[in-house]
Amino acid sequence: MTKVKDSGPPGSERHLIRDDLDVFEARRAVRRRAQELGFALQAREELVIVVSELGSNILKYGIKGDITIEVVTDERRGVGIHLVAHDIGPPIENLKMALTDGYSDRGPIDPLELRKRKGFGGGLGAVVRLTDSFEYQPGTGEKRLSVVRYLRKPKSSGVR
Amino acid sequence: MNDLNEAHQPDVDGEVLDKIADVLLTLSEVSVGIYRKLETDLPASHPVGALFQGVNEMIDAIEREKTLNAEFRRELEEKLETIERQRSSIRELSTPIIEIWDRILCLPIVGVMDTTRSTEMTDALLKAVVERSARCAIIDITGIDVMDTGTADHFIRMAKSVQLLGAECILTGINPHIARTVVEMGVTLTGITTHRSLRTALQRYIARSAR
């Protein structure tokens, strides 16, 4: 029962996501990595939320999956944390809708219905808002969500 | 003296001595984890044959025990690992709802507020408001460092639901970052009182109720 496998290039950690405990573990790991890189408290906690949302989506819809955490450097943006959520669940049918808060796979969610679910379908919206780049990579029998959050904000007014 | 020597000389076959040496060697190997069994042409009816068979059976038994032991130890380690992970996670999960005064509920929240947790929390709070006929719910978010706008939106809806249920909702412990997030959303918190700390909120509420 290995928790973490260094299966990628050095400095990358792959966390299997089998249950809630694994998600908490991945959250702790990203908090740790972000701290090592010098992310401020708020940015660290935002990354934790991103991992939490990615992780709970794997548990809810992904059947089986994992989250990889690694450090990347972009020549323009500088250093950042790259997260890849990988699972073998069904592809995201309507990406635009999935990214809009208050929506699930079947259209706008009735508020009463929202309360019965374990999440209100807003998870991916948060993932996009709290990261600097988002990429959805569908495959055969699997999919990946790849996001990056850079340490430094762009020089412009910062409104995304 | 010769008589004595002769009397104490063991009358043992040299070959049997060899066999006993084999047994002793094998047993000493067992003690360091090497389970090599004895080989002999002698039948089990022969005393030495019987000895060898006995020793071999013993070696089998010891080896079986050792394998079982290793399995148990592995299982135990896995269980201890799970306990440790669970302990860390419990800290992240708990959202206690405390009735701190007559029909005044307090919800101190610490940690990460993601969509799953905010939904579960809303369910728990609204249920508690109804079940305990609460007149006020004080939600303290001092322990939350950041909140996504989607989650903040959900939070505000929760506060409004509490009001619809006939109770007052007070938010305390909003930090500057979260305050900016809420303002960014462009939403107004009409009807929802906010205070800097849980203590101030309680003092004000109790004083107001006393009048």
Side-chain angles (χ1 to χ4, degrees), chain A residues 22 27 42 52-53 115 129, chain B residues 85 92 114-115 148-149:
Chain A
D22 286 340
R27 281 167 27 163
Q42 254 94 41
S52 196
E53 300 293 359
R115 295 202 35 239
R129 274 188 294 273
Chain B
R85 289 160 80 220
E92 310 209 43
D114 60 11
T115 60
D148 171 66
T149 51

Side-chain angles (χ1 to χ4, degrees), chain A residues 1 21-22 24-25 27-28 31 41-42 45-46 48-49 52-53 56 115 117-120 123 126 129, chain B residues 81-82 85-86 88-89 92-93 112 114-116 118-120 123 126 145-146 148-150 154 177:
Chain A
M1 200 162 109
L21 300 185
D22 286 340
F24 292 136
E25 182 111 8
R27 281 167 27 163
R28 285 194 285 275
R31 192 185 275 127
L41 173 66
Q42 254 94 41
E45 292 303 312
E46 284 172 357
V48 168
I49 291 174
S52 196
E53 300 293 359
S56 50
R115 295 202 35 239
R117 291 156 175 264
K118 279 187 74 179
F120 59 90
R129 274 188 294 273
Chain B
E81 206 192 288
T82 303
R85 289 160 80 220
Q86 287 177 336
S88 309
S89 303
E92 310 209 43
L93 274 178
V112 177
D114 60 11
T115 60
T116 309
S118 70
T119 308
E120 285 170 356
D123 283 355
L126 296 179
D145 296 305
V146 305
D148 171 66
T149 51
H154 186 77
H177 180 91

